[in-house]
Amino acid sequence: MNISKANRTTILKGAAIIKSGELVAFPTETVYGLGADGLNPIAVAKIFEVKRRPSFNPLILHIAKKSDLAKFTYYKDTRIDKLIDSFWPGPLTLVLPKKNIVPDIVTSGNETVAIRMPNHKVALDLIKQSGVPIAAPSANKFGNLSPTDATHVYKSLGESIELIIDGGKCNVGLESTIIEVRDKEIILLRPGGLSKEEIENSVGKIKIRRILKAKPNSPGQLPYHYSPSVPLYFLNSTSANKFRSSIVGVIYFKKVNANYSFSNFKVLSPKGDLRVAAANLFKFLHEFENKKVDVILVEPIKEKGLGLAIMDRLKKGSKKYSH
Ligand code: TXA
Ligand code: MG
């Protein structure tokens, strides 16, 4: 078994594996990452192999010190200082012009690189002990549900990697918010664990990019992503009727919706707290996937605050099944 509880010994072992050019799965506050030495192109190539990820998807570099941002990117912008002072370490990824030291395989040939400093002791220790920035996508096969605990990683990647460091449940539970900071504007590339509203309170209006491109900058922009292996649909009168006699797992937001009541259900947050809902989202989808229900029906919520990222994941997760 390749899952080991996080402690000093496993972190040192993980760092040695990273330094030797191999992969380690590790916890962050958002989701588990599948990490490699971000300055070693061959190590990074192994991520694409193990994930079976299309190679046009660039990766995020994870750093352990704010000052490392300047090692890998060019920026002279007070908005960036403000963002990293307010939100790092945390679920915010910045896309900025890259320096030459960053290998092309990390950025898929883009002139920009995505960087974040995770808010998780184990992740930060692993990066420090490795002595390199760690390139890491979510630790799951491409297109599957994101992993928010070590067993989810094992379910998707099994023994294909040497070590999965178990740091328990991710308390944000949604991937980081990704923004590109340009001279004249800030663009939201992927909604995530830090709300758009919180960012705007700090640096003013940001734009949402909706255009789908053949070669997207962010797989967040691909039509199918984050899908459970059982069909996922939004809960509404059509789906409720259609699946009345199937084995259904229902996810409600705050409480059972009396218009569509089912007996096998989970509630994301009885208090209606979006943070709690976000932290439970992938967990509940994994649980219903493990139980092999015929179909998962999930109640839609308002696209405000973290609701934007929650609905983004659910729309993409259900897209594959809705035609
Ligand atoms: O919370 C997270 O962000 C997690 C944890 C492990 O840190 N990581 C994660 O990585 O979600 P991944 O690979 O699943 O998603 C990274 C996203 C992709 O959508 C990718 O296209 C985008 O970051 N990205 C990376 N570099 C980019 C760049 N230069 N320009 C635009 N988007 C970029
Ligand atoms: Mg992912």
Side-chain angles (χ1 to χ4, degrees):
M1 188 64 162
N2 52 358
I3 301 183
S4 297
K5 282 256 171 292
N7 55 38
R8 191 169 162 77
T9 314
T10 42
I11 290 170
L12 289 177
K13 182 177 170 203
I17 296 172
I18 296 278
K19 281 190 272 193
S20 76
E22 298 298 327
L23 309 183
V24 175
F26 63 98
T28 82
E29 80 283 28
T30 59
V31 300
Y32 275 68
L34 177 61
D37 175 349
L39 301 181
N40 175 343
I42 294 168
V44 174
K46 292 178 187 163
I47 293 177
F48 293 100
E49 236 173 84
V50 166
K51 264 190 83 90
R52 308 218 189 100
R53 171 180 244 199
S55 59
F56 55 69
N57 288 329
L59 301 170
I60 297 172
L61 277 187
H62 297 72
I63 58 175
K65 281 197 310 235
K66 291 181 188 178
S67 57
D68 278 356
L69 183 60
K71 282 194 196 160
F72 307 114
T73 67
Y74 292 103
Y75 77 93
K76 258 198 231 125
D77 190 326
T78 52
R79 291 172 305 170
I80 306 274
D81 294 315
K82 209 165 167 197
L83 285 167
I84 66 182
D85 284 341
S86 313
F87 302 117
W88 276 9
L92 175 67
T93 295
L94 299 173
V95 171
L96 293 167
K98 78 170 190 92
K99 286 193 172 165
N100 268 343
I101 180 176
V102 180
D104 279 338
I105 189 168
V106 170
T107 66
S108 299
N110 281 314
E111 286 307 308
T112 52
V113 61
I115 305 220
R116 86 175 189 101
M117 179 175 171
N119 187 16
H120 197 293
K121 197 176 174 314
V122 174
L124 293 172
D125 280 352
L126 181 70
I127 301 164
K128 279 183 207 147
Q129 296 298 339
S130 303
V132 289
I134 295 187
S138 50
N140 55 293
K141 290 233 170 75
F142 180 71
N144 290 2
L145 288 176
S146 300
T148 55
D149 74 29
T151 63
H152 300 159
V153 179
Y154 190 80
K155 184 167 83 165
S156 190
L157 301 179
E159 302 281 342
S160 62
I161 47 175
E162 202 176 318
L163 176 64
I164 299 170
I165 302 179
D166 183 357
K169 190 181 154 186
C170 302
N171 57 33
V172 172
L174 285 175
E175 295 84 347
S176 61
T177 301
I178 305 179
I179 58 176
E180 180 167 350
V181 185
R182 297 196 181 154
D183 287 347
K184 296 207 174 78
E185 58 189 11
I186 299 180
I187 300 163
L188 181 71
L189 297 178
R190 176 178 74 183
L194 179 68
S195 73
K196 175 170 173 277
E197 290 84 345
E198 277 179 89
I199 302 171
E200 288 183 327
N201 280 340
S202 161
V203 288
K205 219 46 205 148
I206 60 184
K207 282 194 183 168
I208 298 188
R209 180 151 72 197
R210 296 184 187 280
I211 316 136
L212 241 170
K213 290 190 281 180
K215 194 181 170 196
N217 283 340
S218 212
Q221 297 167 10
L222 286 170
Y224 311 142
H225 210 62
Y226 315 108
S227 301
S229 60
V230 295
L232 172 70
Y233 296 93
F234 282 109
L235 178 64
N236 53 36
S237 55
T238 314
S239 63
N241 286 331
K242 186 168 173 195
F243 297 111
R244 192 44 77 188
S245 52
S246 310
I247 301 169
V248 184
V250 177
I251 301 177
Y252 298 108
F253 175 45
K254 223 174 146 172
K255 59 177 186 331
V256 174
N257 180 331
N259 295 324
Y260 316 117
S261 75
F262 285 84
S263 54
N264 184 23
F265 67 87
K266 299 172 190 291
V267 174
L268 285 172
S269 167
K271 288 189 180 148
D273 181 334
L274 286 169
R275 283 177 196 255
V276 176
N280 284 327
L281 180 70
F282 283 118
K283 176 173 186 277
F284 289 178
L285 291 170
H286 275 286
E287 285 170 1
F288 278 138
E289 187 180 73
N290 294 346
K291 282 194 193 153
K292 300 197 168 51
V293 293
D294 294 338
V295 58
I296 303 171
L297 301 181
V298 56
E299 190 174 47
I301 63 170
K302 275 208 200 116
E303 293 178 85
K304 283 210 126 193
L306 290 181
L308 182 66
I310 292 174
M311 285 297 285
D312 171 77
R313 305 305 188 270
L314 290 172
K315 283 179 185 170
K316 291 187 178 118
S318 60
K319 186 115 187 170
K320 177 162 145 188
Y321 299 108
S322 56
H323 53 125

